[in-house]
Amino acid sequence: MRFVVLERGTTADDGGLAARAARCGVTVLAREVVRPSETATTVLRRLALDRPSDEHDGPLAGVLLLDAPDLDAVLDVLPDSTTGAFEVRPVAG
Amino acid sequence: MTDAAAVPARAHASVDDALADAWRTHWSRLIGLLIGQFARPDLAEDAVSDAFESAAKHWPDDGIPTNPGAWLLTAARRRVLDRLRSESVLRRKEPLMVIDDEMRALAAAAVDPGAHVADEQLRLVFMCCHPALAPDDRVALTLRFVVGLTTAEIARLLLVQETAMAARLTRAKKRLASSGIPFATPPAARLDERLDVVATVVYLAFTSGYHPGVGDVPLRVDLGDEAIRLLRALDGLLPGRGVVRALLALLLLQHSRRDTRLDPSGSLVLLPDQDRSRWHRDEIAEAVGILRSLDAASPSGVPASAPDPQPRNAARPRPGAGASGLLAAEGSADAPLAGSDDIEVERSAHRTTALTQEYQLQALIAAEHATAPTADATRWDVIAAFYAELEALTESPVVRLARAVAVAEASGPDAGLSLLDGLEDALPRHHRVPAVRAELLVRAGHPAAAAAAYRQALTLVTNPTERTHLESRLAALGDA
C-alpha cells in the first residue's frame, strides 16, 4: 500500500531514510523539500488522526511518497527526529 | 441450524452455562479468526456478537452443539459473508487491514477455534494495543475484542456515556482498517516496546474495575480474573517476558485481596482493616514465586529480595498503629498506583525495561503487605526502600506521597513530614497530601497544625469512606 508523509520542521537531508528503506521493504517513490512558507497557498483540511501534526510541530518542510507493506514499516524507516514531526497517512484507493 | 449429534435440550441454566463458557473460551479466538480471514474488524465484531445472540436463541430448543466453538464460527462466518454481499451490491469499498497471506489462509481454513492453528489471539492483542491508536481507544478495543465486554459495560467501566463509547469504538475500528495498522505480531526488535503498551492497557483494564460506583452494578465478569487470564495467555505465548511476569505478579497480589476490599454495604475497607485470613494465599504465593524468579533473572534490576511467601511471626506491635488507617491505604496498598490520573501511562520506546522495573517494585511492595501476618508486622523499612527506588525511577509525586507514609512508619513522623515538603504544589487537588500531613503532625505532637491540615483535606476529599475517617480523626483531636 502507499503512504504520503508530510515532514514538518525537518532538515533538507533525508536523515538516513534511503538506507533504511532499502532494508525494510519500503520504496521511496519521491521525496521533495518544499520552499519556505511565504510561497505557500493554504488549503484547510480536516485531519482524522489521533495524533495529527499542527503548526506547533514545525513549518511544513517536505513530502514523502512511500510504498510499504504496512504502517509499522513506515514507522520503522522514518528518522528519529527530535526537531521535526511526520504525519503519515495511507494514500486513498 | 441444527447439529444432528447435538445433546438434547437440558434445563435453561445449563444453556446459560454453555453460553458463558463458550463466550469465555471462544470470543477472542472467533474475533481473531474472522479478522484474520476477512480483514474487517467492524464486521468481525458484529458477526461474533450476532452468532452468540443466535446461539442464545437456538440452543435452548435445538440443544447445545457438541462443538460450540465450531457452531459459533460457522454462524459468524455466515453473517460476515451476508454483510459483504450487501456491501458489494451497494458498491461500497471499505478499506481492509493489512494481513499476510498465510494468516488469511489459516483463518479461512479453520473450523474449530479451540484447535490452535494460528496466533490470532496474540495478533488481536497487539492490534488493539497498537501505538498508533489513542490510549483510551486501546483500552476500549481490548475490553471489547479481547475480553468481550459489551459497549454498555465498557462505557460504565470507563465512566463515559454509552453513546460516546459506541462512537469511540466505531471510530477506532474504522481507524484500524484505514490507517495501515497490520494484523500482526510485531517483529522481535519491536516486541519489548509493544509489550510495554500491552501491559499498560491490561493494567488500565484491571484498575477500571476499581472505580467507586462500578461495584454497584455487577458485571458479567470479574475484570481481575480476565486481566490475569490474559496475562497468563500472553506469558504462555511469549514466555519469559519481564513486563508480563512483573505485571502478573502485581495483579495477583492486588487481586488476592478482592474479598476484603469492600464491606457488606459496599464501602471501601482500608488495608490495615482488611481481614487477612480472607486474602487468597495461593495467589500471593504464586506472585512471590514470580518475583523471586524475576529477581534471579535480572540481578542488575531491582535490589532486595522478595519476601517469604509464608507469613512471618508477628513483630513487636507499634503503639497507635491502629490510627494509621488512612496512611496505610496509600499508593499501591489498595488503590493501584497506575490507575491514578496522575501517573503517566504512556511510555516512550527508549524505556522498555523501566516499566518492568516499575511493576516489579510495585509488586514487591504489595508482596510486603500481603505476607505480613498483621498490619503491625509490616516491614515498613523494606517498603520505604522500594518506594525510594520507585520514586527515583518514575519521579512521581504520588509515589513520593506513598514513600512519605512508609518512611514515617519506619523512622518516625518527622522523617515522613520532611518528604511532604512541596508536595501540595505537585498534587494540588489531592486530599491525601494534607491528610497524610495531618496524621503525621498528630504523631509528632502538633495537634493545632494537624487540625488545620485535616480541615484542608476535608475540602478536597471525594470518597465517602475517607471523608468519614478524616472527620472522625479531626473530632478525636478536639476531644484530646
Side-chain angles (χ1 to χ4, degrees):
Chain A
M1 55 191 300
R2 301 196 303 161
F3 296 81
V4 165
V5 181
L6 303 181
E7 298 187 32
R8 293 184 182 274
T10 54
T11 58
D13 76 293
D14 83 345
L17 171 70
R20 273 194 305 280
R23 286 201 303 272
C24 296
V26 175
T27 305
V28 180
L29 299 167
R31 180 173 183 265
E32 305 291 343
V33 174
V34 298
R35 290 179 178 174
S37 53
E38 301 90 16
T39 66
T41 302
T42 300
V43 176
L44 289 172
R45 298 195 78 182
R46 273 186 33 214
L47 302 178
L49 299 177
D50 282 302
R51 290 255 177 132
S53 59
D54 61 22
E55 61 275 6
H56 298 109
D57 298 308
L60 184 64
V63 172
L64 293 170
L65 189 62
L66 306 176
D67 198 310
D70 55 47
L71 179 63
D72 285 350
V74 173
L75 298 177
D76 275 348
V77 306
L78 294 176
D80 255 338
S81 171
T82 52
T83 57
F86 300 89
E87 185 177 303
V88 183
R89 278 201 253 172
V91 170
Chain B
M1 164 183 294
T2 48
D3 179 346
V7 177
R10 295 185 225 140
H12 186 65
S14 58
V15 171
D16 281 351
D17 285 347
L19 283 168
D21 195 59
W23 167 68
R24 197 169 292 120
T25 312
H26 294 303
W27 173 274
S28 63
R29 289 174 181 163
L30 290 164
I31 301 267
L33 284 173
L34 287 175
I35 294 179
Q37 182 177 355
F38 296 106
R40 291 280 303 274
D42 56 336
L43 294 187
E45 181 205 356
D46 290 342
V48 174
S49 244
D50 288 349
F52 274 93
E53 266 176 47
S54 178
K57 219 179 310 184
H58 288 110
W59 291 2
D61 298 328
D62 304 340
I64 300 164
T66 43
N67 191 332
W71 189 100
L72 289 161
L73 180 56
T74 306
R77 260 200 195 114
R78 213 165 272 181
R79 303 300 287 224
V80 175
L81 291 168
D82 286 346
R83 289 279 297 273
L84 287 171
R85 220 168 285 129
S86 48
E87 276 181 12
S88 71
V89 164
L90 297 166
R91 263 179 289 160
R92 223 162 56 194
K93 193 168 178 272
E94 297 280 343
L96 303 175
M97 288 196 75
V98 178
I99 302 175
D100 57 284
D101 294 337
E102 190 190 348
M103 178 72 225
R104 291 249 206 176
L106 285 170
V111 291
D112 182 352
H116 267 288
V117 292
D119 58 349
E120 73 281 355
Q121 279 180 294
L122 202 53
R123 293 179 189 230
L124 187 63
V125 171
F126 280 112
M127 177 197 86
C128 292
C129 299
H130 199 279
L133 297 168
D136 289 346
D137 290 356
R138 294 174 214 155
V139 180
L141 282 171
T142 301
L143 288 172
R144 180 75 189 120
F145 282 7
V146 180
V147 179
L149 299 184
T150 63
T151 304
E153 287 169 330
I154 299 170
R156 200 167 349 118
L157 277 170
L158 302 182
L159 305 176
V160 299
Q161 294 290 339
E162 187 178 338
T163 47
M165 181 53 68
R168 168 185 291 283
L169 281 169
T170 301
R171 252 187 4 249
K173 283 178 287 176
K174 278 204 171 71
R175 188 163 158 67
L176 279 174
S178 61
S179 62
I181 290 170
F183 186 63
T185 307
R190 295 284 179 203
L191 202 53
D192 281 329
E193 81 189 35
R194 295 285 300 276
L195 270 174
D196 271 11
V197 181
V198 171
T200 307
V201 172
V202 174
Y203 197 5
L204 276 170
F206 177 88
T207 59
S208 67
Y210 278 80
H211 284 306
V214 168
D216 297 345
V217 191
L219 295 174
R220 276 180 301 161
V221 60
D222 185 311
L223 273 179
D225 288 336
E226 291 305 309
I228 286 168
R229 210 161 61 90
L230 177 52
L231 286 174
R232 290 194 199 285
L234 278 172
D235 192 37
L237 292 164
L238 294 170
R241 299 286 170 167
V243 73
V244 175
R245 313 248 328 128
L247 182 59
L248 178 57
L250 177 57
L251 295 197
L252 281 167
L253 289 161
Q254 288 173 352
H255 198 52
S256 70
R257 299 196 287 258
R258 60 189 172 285
D259 294 334
T260 62
R261 282 190 60 246
L262 302 175
D263 69 15
S265 68
S267 308
L268 208 61
V269 177
L270 301 176
L271 181 62
D273 303 324
Q274 292 177 4
D275 177 2
R276 297 183 180 218
S277 69
R278 290 169 56 217
W279 289 352
H280 293 252
R281 291 286 155 197
D282 51 343
E283 290 164 13
I284 293 170
E286 185 188 348
V288 171
I290 292 172
L291 285 170
R292 278 163 187 257
S293 68
L294 279 172
D295 203 22
S298 58
S300 62
V302 177
S305 54
D308 194 322
Q310 295 307 314
R312 302 179 302 286
N313 295 325
R316 48 173 168 61
R318 292 182 56 253
S324 70
L326 200 59
L327 295 187
E330 292 318 302
S332 68
D334 213 84
L337 265 183
S340 151
D341 292 338
D342 305 285
I343 298 273
E344 187 199 323
V345 293
E346 284 261 276
R347 300 284 160 188
S348 79
H350 302 293
R351 301 202 300 175
T352 48
T353 58
L355 188 63
T356 304
Q357 285 182 22
E358 190 181 324
Y359 287 148
Q360 202 175 345
L361 283 163
Q362 288 189 35
L364 286 163
I365 291 164
E368 285 299 318
H369 287 294
T371 55
T374 63
D376 292 347
T378 308
R379 300 196 299 185
W380 286 107
D381 52 338
V382 176
I383 292 175
F386 286 144
Y387 270 126
E389 279 277 326
L390 191 56
E391 188 186 343
L393 187 64
T394 63
E395 292 171 0
S396 158
V398 176
V399 172
R400 166 160 283 232
L401 181 61
R403 181 177 161 220
V405 171
V407 164
E409 296 287 352
S411 314
D414 290 317
L417 279 165
S418 66
L419 283 175
L420 292 177
D421 286 342
L423 219 47
E424 257 99 359
D425 299 331
L427 300 170
R429 287 162 299 126
H430 254 51
H431 71 275
R432 286 212 185 99
V433 178
V436 168
R437 174 171 281 121
E439 191 58 46
L440 297 184
L441 285 167
V442 170
R443 292 191 192 176
H446 306 294
Y454 275 128
R455 285 194 197 94
Q456 211 219 323
L458 280 163
T459 67
L460 297 168
V461 71
T462 50
N463 180 283
T465 303
E466 298 194 56
R467 171 177 297 279
T468 309
H469 185 100
L470 288 171
E471 283 167 349
S472 68
R473 295 296 293 154
L474 178 58
L477 278 181
D479 296 342

